[in-house]
Amino acid sequence: MSNHLKIVETKMLAEKIFLVRLKSETIAKSAVPGQFINIKCCDGLDAFLRRPISILRTDPYEGTFDFVFMVKGKGTDILSRLKCDDFIDCMGPLGKGFTLPVKGEKVWVVGGGIGIFPLFFLLERSTDVQKTSFLGFRAKDSIVLQNEFERVSDKVIITTDDGSYGIHGLVTKPFLERLEREKPDKVYTCGPMPMIKSIAEICIERGIFCEVSMEQRMGCGIGACLVCACKVKHGDDFEYEHVCKDGPVFPAERLIF
Amino acid sequence: MDLSVNIAGLRLKNPVIAASGTFGFGREYSEYFDLNKLGGISVKGLTLEPRKGNPPPRIAETPAGILNSVGLQNPGVHAFIEHEIPFIRKYDTAIIANVAANSVEEYCTMVEILSDADIDAIELNVSCPNVKQGCLLFGSTAQGILQVTSAVRKVCKKPLIVKLTPNVTDITEMAKAAEDAGADCVSLINTLLGMAIDIDSKKPVLANITGGLSGPAVKPVAVRMVYQVANSVKIPVIGMGGICNADDAIEFLLAGAQAIMVGTAGFVNPNVWVEVKEGIELYMENHGFRSVQEINEALIV
C-alpha cells in the first residue's frame, strides 16, 4: 500500500550514502529480507518515478524500518535532504525475498557496494546458523556498516578495489579461496552485475544453493508495467520475468546473465 | 448527475479507463483499489502468439515522463481468453481487448477470435512504436489505417476502437481514415517516439535505443490532438496522454473526448484512477454538469 511515513532518523554513512529510519508498524512487522520499498522522492513532477530501495532492517518492537541509499541523481539527492519528522510517500514491502536458511546451516553472503544492504537484513534474521560475509567496496572511505555486519556475522571479510583496506581486489577472490577449504550450505549475493554473475556461476558449477538479488530499472514496482525484465530459463528457451514481482531474489540456476 | 457514457455501443459506467500497457490485466492493481470503480480496462496489448518482449533496460525516466520499450510482452490471445478474462469479469467494468499484429490477416484472425470472447470492445493497436514489424507501420499512414481497419471491420462483432499514433504529420487524416473504414471510435494518443542517452556510458538508456514517451510531458500535445480529431470526425474520441489527476482528465473532456484513459500516472500513484473519477464527479457537481456529454460541449473557443 502507499503511505506517507514519518522519518524518525537520518544518518550519513559515507559520502553520498545515507540511512533513513521510517515509522511503519506494517512494514516493520511484515517485511522479509530481500524485499524493497518504492519511494516517491518529492511531490510534483521532478523525479517522476518512484525509487525502489532495499530494506536494511526492521524493528518490529519499535515499529520502524531502515533503508540505505546512494545519491545518484535528482531523486536521491532530494531524498538525502529530508530531515527527521518529514514524511516520505512509500509503497511496500514489495517483491519476493530470500529463502531463509535453516538451523545449523553454513551461510555465506557476498555483497558489493550498495548491494550489501538486503544481505544485512538476511543475516540479522538468520539465527542459529554459521554466517560469513564477503563484502566488496571501492575503497576504504566507501566502507559502510562494517560494525553492524560484524555483529550479525561470525566472520566478515572485506575487499577493496584499490587495496586501501582489507584484501586488495575483487570479493570473488577470498570467496574462491575459502571454497577450497569448506563448502557453505547457502550462498546469497547482491551487487554489481560482473560480481553476481561470477558468484552465481561458481555456485552452480559446484552444486551450491545460491540466490541472487537482481537490480533493473523499474516502473510501477508491482508487476503491471513489465519494464524491469530479467532473463530467466524456461525449458529449453528463455522468458523475461520481472524483478519487482517475480524477484528481486531469483535462484541462481534460473538466471541467464 | 450521470457519469456513464455510451461510446458506439460500448457502455461505460464512468469515463475513466485504464490505458493499455500500463495495467497488465488488472491483477496487480486489484490489490490497491476496487476495480469496480473503473469505467473499463484496456488490457495489455495482445498478439496472436505469446511475445517475450524487448531486452532490458525497457524504461528511462525523462523530465515529467518516461520512455518505455516493453515490446508487447504478453501471453498471447488464447491465454488471455482462458486465464485473464475470467479474472477481470469478476469485476463490473468493461473489458477492452487491445490487439497488435504483424499483418492484416493476423489482425483479422485475432479480431475474429476475440469477437467470440467475453469482452466489450476491441482496440486496434496500430501505433506501438516498440516492435520491429507491423503495428506502427499500419498506423503511420492513412492508407495503412484504411487497409487494416476495413479488413477488420468485416469480421469484428464488437465495438471497434482504433488507437492512433501521434508520430504522424496530421493525426486528423488518420482519424478520418479510421472513420471511413468503419471504426466506431478512435483513441489517442499512443506514445511519442523518443530517445534518451546516458552521457557517462555514451549509450542509449533503452536497450531498444528508442522508446515511447508518456507521462505529463506529453499532455499538451495530446490535448491538442484530441481537440483537432474531435473536430474532424463524427465518431467518438477517447483521449489520453499524461493524465495525472482529474484536472488533466477534464481538459481532455473539454477538448472533446467522451472518455479518457489513464496509465503512466498509476506507476507513481496506484490510486490515480479512483482519484480521477471522483474529481470528475466533483467538477460536474461544482459546475452544474449533468452528464459527461455536457462537458464535451462546454469548451469556449
Side-chain angles (χ1 to χ4, degrees), chain A residues 1 40 45 47-51 91 94 216-220 222-227 229 237-240 242 245, chain B residues 21-22 24 28-29 31-32 44 52-59 61 64-66 70 73 205 216 264 267-268 270:
Chain A
M1 298 294 121
K40 184 83 179 97
L45 300 178
F48 181 68
L49 290 170
R50 289 173 180 270
R51 302 291 188 263
M91 284 170 72
L94 300 171
Q216 188 50 263
R217 285 174 186 263
M218 278 184 198
C220 67
I222 61 171
C225 76
L226 309 181
V227 302
D237 198 6
F238 76 91
E239 201 72 77
Y240 285 120
H242 298 92
K245 195 185 184 187
Chain B
T22 63
E28 292 77 19
Y29 283 104
E31 292 173 23
Y32 287 83
K44 175 69 194 168
K52 293 184 187 348
N54 292 330
R58 294 177 173 180
I59 189 167
E61 188 180 70
I66 58 164
V70 172
Q73 177 171 8
V205 178
T264 305
F267 299 173
V268 181

Side-chain angles (χ1 to χ4, degrees), chain A residues 85-141:
Chain A
D85 297 334
D86 286 343
F87 285 83
I88 296 182
D89 177 356
C90 177
M91 284 170 72
L94 300 171
K96 290 202 177 81
F98 295 107
T99 308
L100 291 180
V102 296
K103 201 175 168 178
E105 281 188 324
K106 201 179 277 182
V107 171
W108 292 8
V109 305
V110 189
I114 55 167
I116 68 171
F117 306 121
L119 300 172
F120 178 83
F121 192 7
L122 174 76
L123 291 169
E124 200 173 53
R125 282 288 179 91
S126 303
T127 47
D128 300 320
V129 296
Q130 198 192 321
K131 298 175 275 193
T132 307
S133 298
F134 299 84
L135 308 176
F137 297 95
R138 189 178 41 77
K140 188 181 177 184
D141 60 9

